[in-house]
Amino acid sequence: MIKLEPCRKEHLGKMKSLYLRAFPAEERTPWFLLKRRARQGRAEALEATDGGEFAGLAYVVLLDDMVYLFFLAVEEGRRGRGTGGQILSALRERFPGKRIFLAREQLDKSAGNYPERESRHRFYLSNGFEDWGIQIKEGAVTYDVMGIGKKITPPEYRALITGWAGKLPGLFLRACVVE
């Protein structure tokens, strides 16, 4: 049974290692910034454990009734065994009644990893997420948004990102919702 809680020091190294392995460099936020924002209470760096053993991570940015699943990763040896779905279930239990959403790669058939993108899309659909028909543009990359609950609006997203990044960095962070 997966347990989801704030990352403990004993699993911090495993969390960082998984984060660096699971996400391409161009999609990663600097690790020091993720840690700092979690320490400041602007986000939660959550470890997923199974019987005390590190199984994965979820990094969420929070504001009001919004929970932005910034990063989700499962240890390689546990993939395809229901761990990711259990983490999402634990996330819904941790944030009952809140809108949980994520940005995922677009389903671009010309992308070299199209089968992986399609698989991730099916995974989120099978775990209660819906396509919201909106995109998040972060710099030069556009992602499709999936979520549970009522769609977020562009001003809500901007407030969430500015709350996470801070006012000054938020001015330079080129991130927005496109409807």
Side-chain angles (χ1 to χ4, degrees):
M1 181 69 164
I2 291 292
K3 186 175 179 183
L4 195 60
E5 59 190 2
C7 186
R8 296 172 290 184
K9 279 188 175 182
E10 68 189 73
H11 289 149
L12 193 58
K14 290 179 182 181
M15 182 179 270
K16 179 181 180 181
S17 176
L18 174 58
Y19 173 71
L20 294 174
R21 292 190 318 270
F23 299 99
E26 63 274 8
E27 292 181 13
R28 290 193 304 249
T29 299
W31 179 252
F32 79 89
L33 187 57
L34 295 176
K35 282 182 19 182
R36 179 179 298 156
R37 293 303 185 246
R39 274 195 316 269
Q40 293 169 334
R42 298 181 190 194
E44 287 189 11
L46 303 168
E47 66 179 29
T49 56
D50 186 1
E53 185 178 320
F54 182 76
L57 67 90
Y59 186 92
V60 295
V61 177
L62 311 163
L63 180 68
D64 301 329
D65 72 330
M66 295 179 288
V67 178
Y68 181 12
L69 180 54
F70 228 43
F71 296 105
L72 170 70
V74 174
E75 282 282 32
E76 290 89 344
R78 293 177 170 271
R79 293 180 187 159
R81 297 182 8 206
T83 302
Q86 289 177 43
I87 292 172
L88 291 176
S89 181
L91 196 64
R92 285 192 302 275
E93 288 175 22
R94 186 174 183 83
F95 301 106
K98 301 219 181 234
R99 296 181 286 171
I100 301 173
F101 68 100
L102 58 93
R104 67 158 173 75
E105 296 168 303
Q106 293 188 303
L107 294 176
D108 176 0
K109 289 186 178 182
S110 67
N113 68 342
Y114 178 74
E116 290 173 24
R117 292 177 182 208
E118 196 174 40
S119 176
R120 278 191 283 274
H121 182 236
R122 283 192 313 271
F123 164 75
Y124 288 115
L125 287 172
S126 69
N127 282 283
F129 284 75
E130 298 176 340
D131 288 310
W132 276 359
I134 59 177
Q135 289 80 40
I136 288 177
K137 189 170 171 100
E138 294 179 351
V141 182
T142 301
Y143 299 94
D144 286 334
V145 180
M146 298 182 78
I148 296 171
K150 188 181 104 190
K151 291 180 190 178
I152 58 165
T153 65
E156 288 176 322
Y157 176 76
R158 189 70 188 161
L160 179 135
I161 286 299
T162 301
W164 177 79
K167 288 191 180 205
L168 187 59
L171 293 174
F172 298 103
L173 185 65
R174 296 179 307 158
C176 63
V177 166
V178 181
E179 294 185 285

